[in-house]
Amino acid sequence: MIDLRSDTLSRPTPAMRRAMAEADVGDDCFGEDPTVNALERRVAEILGKEDAVYMPTGTMTNQVAIRAHTEAGDAVLMDQSAHIYLLEAGAACALSGAHPKLLPGAQGVFTPADVAAAVPPRHPYFPATWTPPAKLLCIENTHNAGSGRIWPLAQLRAVCETGRSLGLRLHLDGARLWNAAVATGIAEKTWSEPFDSVSVCFSKGLGAPMGSALAGSAQFVARARRFKALFGGGLRQAGIVAAAALYAIEHHRELLLVDHANARLLAEGLLGLPAIDTDLQSVQSNIVVLRTTRAPAGELVVKLFQAGVHVLPTGRDTIRAVTCLNVSKGDILEAIRVIRRVAGG
Ligand SMILES: *Cc1c(COP(=O)(O)O)cnc(C)c1O
């Protein structure tokens, strides 16, 4: 089976498992796990922030950030297809009482005007009590539901500047910020610079079995540690898994370029099929979104599964294929042959 459903399927390598087996550990709730502490310091350094805190999942780092930045009833601005909005079980509403206000981005990328339009007017004749106060703006880079689209840096900065001028705090969902960094040659800390908080995942393309980190000012991270505990995220000898993340950020970031080349190869190999629309231009990192033009996506996904290629139906007519370190160039060439045969090219 060639499994292209998600980069979360990436498995720890033998060298990573060795690093895990040899990790120095302690009780993280007491701040005494040396490997977790080393990971937090290293992530803060890479992201150019004062501190960072390790947590089990990216959903938790995003949701702790929202909880730390807002009060119940506040509006949080984000793209209409943001992971925080679509794929985090409604946690922003349930855990923080936050009111998502959706922006009309293109593959997750929106404009300063979109941000300005979403913030209620301040005017003596407009009752300020009618609208939830806009407190936080979230940006996702790369954008998962947008084919792994990478924000143009200038546009990201302009959007952040507008948000700042409107009094918003700024959060970056950088689950795949590593991919944006290697694809553009722009360092993670440059991408992170405008933001109050940044969330990154180790469990996607980097290949660690689990874990995410949330970075920001020392004061913000101290507050985040309180909500990590409140959400049940207190860890004990987490150095075992933090060691995998430390290993991954030192050894696997450059490898993401191979995933990007493989995603591009897949998209190019599927061009010209009448049953599948492939937008080559939208493939900027490790995610390929295919649009079915003849059969519903779900039907084609079943046929492909039976033929040995596992992909994810993400909508009525959309299929997602993702590359990661489990998937070789040979796998991609084979997947192209199977998809072309099954889709009837
Ligand atoms: C995967 C992902 C998350 C959440 O990470 P989990 O560890 O699965 O909770 C958040 N944002 C984006 C963009 C992601 O792709």
Side-chain angles (χ1 to χ4, degrees), residues 8 56-60 62 83-84 88 140 142 144 173 175-176 201 203-204 212:
T8 55
T57 69
T59 298
M60 189 179 275
N62 279 334
H83 191 282
I84 291 174
E88 299 189 7
E140 186 177 316
T142 69
N144 178 20
D173 179 356
R176 295 187 184 79
C201 285
S203 59
K204 306 280 169 82
S212 284

